[in-house]
Amino acid sequence: MRRCGSRDYDSQHALRALKLIRTHALRDPARQLCRMAAREEAQPEVPTEPLDIACGLEEVPVGVWPPGARPEPFQYTPEHVAGPGADADPAQITFPGCTCRNGPCVPGTCSCLRHQQNYDKDSCLGDLVSAARCAQPVFECGALCPCPERCGNRVVQRGLRLRLQVFRTEKKGWGLRTLEPIPRGRFVCEYAGEVVGFSEAQRRIRRQTVHDSNYIIAVREHVSNGQVMETFVDPARVGNVGRFLNHACEPNLLMVPVRVDSMVPRLALFAARDVRPGEELSYDYSGRFLNLVDGDDKERRDDGALRKPCHCGSRSCAAFLPYDGSLY
């Protein structure tokens, strides 16, 4: 009996010793590092920094939601670039600039301010009502102007300053929303991309299928002598954050052509009203004109193909996205 008891004691002692050896082994820093390294190798690689759609080319990064999601690839550019058939290079400086060296730029003395002050003291667009209907041309002081960088007539050229986020919508694909409040009249972003000629814009649109997203915008400015200035911009392959803006029949953004250094207009988007944080940003693809649809043609466009439905959800929704038949 004593021997049996002794064997039981020896077994218990050996078990305790084994546990003690294992405990010391787990506390060994070298072994711990090896185990941690093995776990890290087994785990998938996780990005240490959030995705910036702007690739560091804007003053502030543009995030993406949900984490890990990535929109279709494209080349980011903060400003217009010359594309096939463009009449002028948007990067070329063609304006001579003002002569305001000793005083502020004000209407009457500054050649860039031919009609009225473009922006108020808070850098917000001055007259949103006229801009939505028949706006006076907006010229900002440019590279050849001797006025300082803090000049009140330099707003759009300063680029993106708001925290925006590209996000996945329920029915509209990718969209763009703000992460901070935006006051009425504040500059939000540009709609930048390749500036192309009319024939090239037609060619690209005709190659699209009903499943393709159309990014091409045609901006027509009516000059006082009856002439019409046309600008075609396509950010599908080369563009900026503005390419993610969706259409809305009651938008919270207003597009205004703004010229800096060149006659090629920058398509600047300003807040049409106060915008809340988290609210999706949108503008009217038709250029603020009514998008009326005849009762007999609610599901047809000029060439007989189905029009794309509008999912803006506003009370005055026209049910279909605006359509410009001149490019087809």
Side-chain angles (χ1 to χ4, degrees):
M1 293 293 293
R2 289 181 179 175
R3 277 189 258 182
C4 289
S6 178
R7 280 200 298 268
D8 290 342
Y9 172 79
D10 292 341
S11 299
Q12 292 176 1
H13 180 74
L15 184 61
R16 288 177 185 173
L18 181 61
K19 288 182 178 179
L20 190 62
I21 292 172
R22 287 180 178 176
T23 303
H24 283 300
L26 290 175
R27 290 177 180 174
D28 185 2
R31 291 179 180 268
Q32 286 181 324
L33 289 174
C34 291
R35 290 175 181 270
M36 292 172 60
R39 285 197 297 266
E40 290 177 358
E41 290 177 358
Q43 294 177 352
E45 185 178 354
V46 178
T48 57
E49 296 183 2
L51 176 65
D52 178 15
I53 287 292
C55 304
L57 297 175
E58 299 283 9
E59 293 292 331
V60 292
V62 181
V64 179
W65 186 267
R70 288 179 178 269
E72 64 280 1
F74 70 101
Q75 180 181 340
Y76 197 94
T77 176
E79 302 174 358
H80 289 326
V81 296
D87 295 330
D89 185 352
Q92 185 177 0
I93 300 175
T94 57
F95 287 171
C98 65
T99 58
C100 307
R101 291 183 177 274
N102 302 321
C105 294
V106 294
T109 59
C110 180
S111 58
C112 300
L113 296 170
R114 302 180 182 181
H115 302 280
Q116 59 187 5
Q117 200 77 263
N118 293 323
Y119 310 107
D120 61 19
K121 60 181 180 61
D122 298 318
S123 299
C124 293
L125 191 65
D127 193 353
L128 278 172
V129 177
S130 65
R133 297 175 182 173
C134 183
Q136 296 286 353
V138 177
F139 293 87
E140 289 194 359
C141 294
L144 298 182
C145 295
C147 55
E149 289 296 322
R150 64 179 182 276
C151 171
N153 196 37
R154 299 177 184 266
V155 173
V156 173
Q157 62 191 270
R158 292 174 183 163
L160 180 66
R161 298 299 177 106
L162 299 171
R163 292 185 296 117
L164 306 180
Q165 184 184 70
V166 176
F167 73 106
R168 173 70 73 175
T169 68
E170 184 178 352
K171 297 180 179 180
K172 298 175 288 186
W174 292 101
L176 185 67
R177 61 187 171 196
T178 176
L179 300 180
E180 60 182 285
I182 305 176
R184 181 177 182 268
R186 176 81 179 271
F187 169 66
V188 177
C189 67
E190 293 185 46
Y191 192 85
E194 286 185 282
V195 178
V196 300
F198 175 73
S199 299
E200 178 64 16
Q202 274 192 324
R203 187 189 69 84
R204 294 186 180 189
I205 281 189
R206 287 171 178 171
R207 292 179 58 185
Q208 294 177 356
T209 68
V210 292
H211 305 290
D212 294 330
S213 298
N214 177 38
Y215 294 94
I216 298 177
I217 186 172
V219 177
R220 296 179 176 88
E221 300 174 272
H222 296 264
V223 190
S224 58
N225 58 6
Q227 294 181 346
V228 178
M229 300 177 61
E230 292 185 319
T231 305
F232 302 96
V233 177
D234 182 12
R237 295 176 295 187
V238 182
N240 76 330
V241 68
R243 71 192 297 277
F244 295 103
L245 289 167
N246 284 312
H247 164 81
C249 298
E250 294 180 11
N252 50 22
L253 299 183
L254 172 68
M255 180 176 285
V256 178
V258 175
R259 286 176 168 82
V260 184
D261 293 326
S262 170
M263 277 302 293
V264 180
R266 295 190 180 191
L267 307 183
L269 290 138
F270 297 85
R273 56 171 174 80
D274 292 339
V275 185
R276 302 183 305 274
E279 189 174 348
E280 181 178 1
L281 301 172
S282 59
Y283 73 102
D284 189 339
Y285 288 2
S286 68
R288 298 287 295 181
F289 290 103
L290 293 177
N291 182 28
L292 300 178
V293 181
D294 295 335
D296 298 333
D297 195 29
K298 288 186 177 181
E299 294 184 356
R300 294 169 61 87
R301 65 185 190 189
D302 295 355
D303 61 356
L306 290 176
R307 295 183 64 178
K308 292 185 178 181
C310 177
H311 298 292
C312 71
S314 64
R315 290 174 296 179
S316 62
C317 181
F320 296 94
L321 295 179
Y323 165 71
D324 185 352
S326 65
L327 293 175
Y328 288 86

